[in-house]
Amino acid sequence: MVEPAAAGLREQLAEAELLVETSTPGLPFRSAAFERIVRAVAGAVTSAGAGTAEPCLYAPPLMARADFERTGYHRSFPDLMGLVGTFDGGDREHRALLAQAGRGETWTSGVADSGLVLCSAGCHALYPALRGPVPAGGRRLEVEGTCFRHEPSADPARMQSFRQHEFVYVGSAAGALAFRDEWVERGRALLTGLGLSVSTVDAADPFFGRAGRLLEAAQREAGLKVELVAQIDGDAAIASANYHEDHFGAAFGLAQADGQPAHTACIGFGLERIALALIRRHGPPHGWPRFVREELAL
């Protein structure tokens, strides 16, 4: 069920022709006007980190299943992931597929595992691409990626396909924590500078199942995840800063100078969610305050 605030926002987005809903919840078309906002937000995020990271990389929306498995995402969030299937049969298998489809039956039994997975986070495809030892001062990277999470909803803030713009640190434990904490403040300044009312919340990921509740409690107790929350359909995280300890360093063979696995941290800005928060706060873009338009160069 969609909350009244979310329903009102959906009506506002439809009336302004910013999003066009499709037959699949959480997969709207974005209008050119909405896309301009998203790209402007991405530009503002890049500007907020100007001079602090290597040039931005733009990740493909797919990654190798073998690399995806090394992230451990399938163990913690199997309900959110998306696998890519392809047809690799011949004429005989094609005829069988068409016959099944013609009878209204499920025809995907003829679809094979492609070895590809939809990316679930912008930085996941980055770690397997990193090469060589991590320098003493660590590496600071910028990446943007299209992400997929299987949580269909009519709530505009819960898109199944969305973009994250991230800054990522790879290096020492102290460096990762300092990076995470610095970006919580830097991100908060960026978002409040756009007129948003933002709160900082200690949070945890939605781990799956009974064991997941223990992981969630441990993550929260260790203070590994901090969300920047604003109003969309009620409170919604529009940015998330995370300290991963040595999880990705160990998984992808990223070593510090002493040979120990590197620690990592990231902050991910949800571009569509920030755009929605701006619309919720300021109304249709043509009526936005001048300072917001200037900050976004719109």
Side-chain angles (χ1 to χ4, degrees):
M1 179 178 178
V2 181
E3 296 295 329
L9 181 59
R10 287 175 63 202
E11 293 172 0
Q12 184 180 354
L13 293 167
E15 183 177 344
E17 297 183 335
L18 292 169
L19 294 181
V20 178
E21 295 186 12
T22 66
S23 60
T24 304
L27 289 177
F29 278 95
R30 286 85 159 167
S31 71
F34 188 84
E35 189 65 16
R36 280 194 295 272
I37 299 170
V38 168
R39 295 320 316 161
V41 170
V45 172
T46 290
S47 295
T52 69
E54 299 174 29
C56 188
L57 296 171
Y58 293 85
L62 306 174
M63 63 184 295
R65 178 168 53 80
D67 289 335
F68 179 83
E69 290 171 353
R70 291 163 73 187
T71 70
Y73 196 90
H74 63 301
R75 291 191 292 272
S76 298
F77 314 102
D79 52 325
L80 300 181
M81 63 185 183
L83 311 179
V84 179
T86 55
F87 177 77
D88 60 359
D91 288 341
R92 178 177 173 181
E93 290 78 16
H94 187 216
R95 287 194 297 272
L97 181 154
L98 293 177
Q100 287 177 309
R103 294 191 297 267
E105 299 173 0
T106 299
W107 52 265
T108 51
S109 59
V111 173
D113 177 10
S114 68
L116 297 173
V117 179
L118 299 173
C119 283
S120 300
C123 62
H124 282 179
L126 178 65
Y127 300 119
L130 299 181
R131 299 287 183 269
V134 179
R139 292 185 69 178
R140 293 163 179 79
L141 304 111
E142 183 178 2
V143 61
E144 183 178 312
T146 298
C147 308
F148 171 83
R149 294 180 190 172
H150 183 245
E151 41 186 356
S153 170
D155 178 353
R158 304 206 71 82
M159 295 182 182
Q160 294 196 72
S161 178
F162 57 92
R163 282 160 289 185
Q164 286 181 339
H165 199 104
E166 298 192 36
F167 286 90
V168 179
Y169 172 88
V170 183
S172 68
L177 276 169
F179 175 92
R180 194 274 308 270
D181 294 343
E182 173 192 342
W183 264 104
V184 168
E185 295 308 314
R186 194 186 289 263
R188 182 180 176 87
L190 165 65
L191 297 168
T192 57
L194 296 175
L196 297 175
S197 177
V198 177
S199 56
T200 304
V201 178
D202 291 330
D205 289 308
F207 295 99
F208 182 79
R210 182 180 301 174
R213 289 193 287 274
L214 298 177
L215 292 172
E216 182 177 339
Q219 185 184 39
R220 196 181 297 274
E221 183 178 354
L224 302 181
K225 184 180 189 68
V226 179
E227 291 180 340
L228 300 178
V229 173
Q231 283 283 314
I232 301 179
D233 61 327
D235 289 341
I238 58 175
S240 176
N242 305 276
Y243 170 43
H244 314 119
E245 299 179 306
D246 66 355
H247 174 77
F248 292 117
F252 292 100
L254 306 174
Q256 302 180 64
D258 62 2
Q260 293 299 308
H263 287 234
T264 61
C266 73
I267 184 166
F269 293 88
L271 298 183
E272 283 86 359
R273 280 198 177 182
I274 294 172
L276 291 170
L278 289 167
I279 295 165
R280 178 67 187 277
R281 175 68 180 87
H282 301 301
H286 62 79
W288 285 6
R290 183 174 180 177
F291 77 91
V292 176
R293 300 185 69 84
E294 289 177 349
E295 284 290 329
L296 294 176
L298 284 172

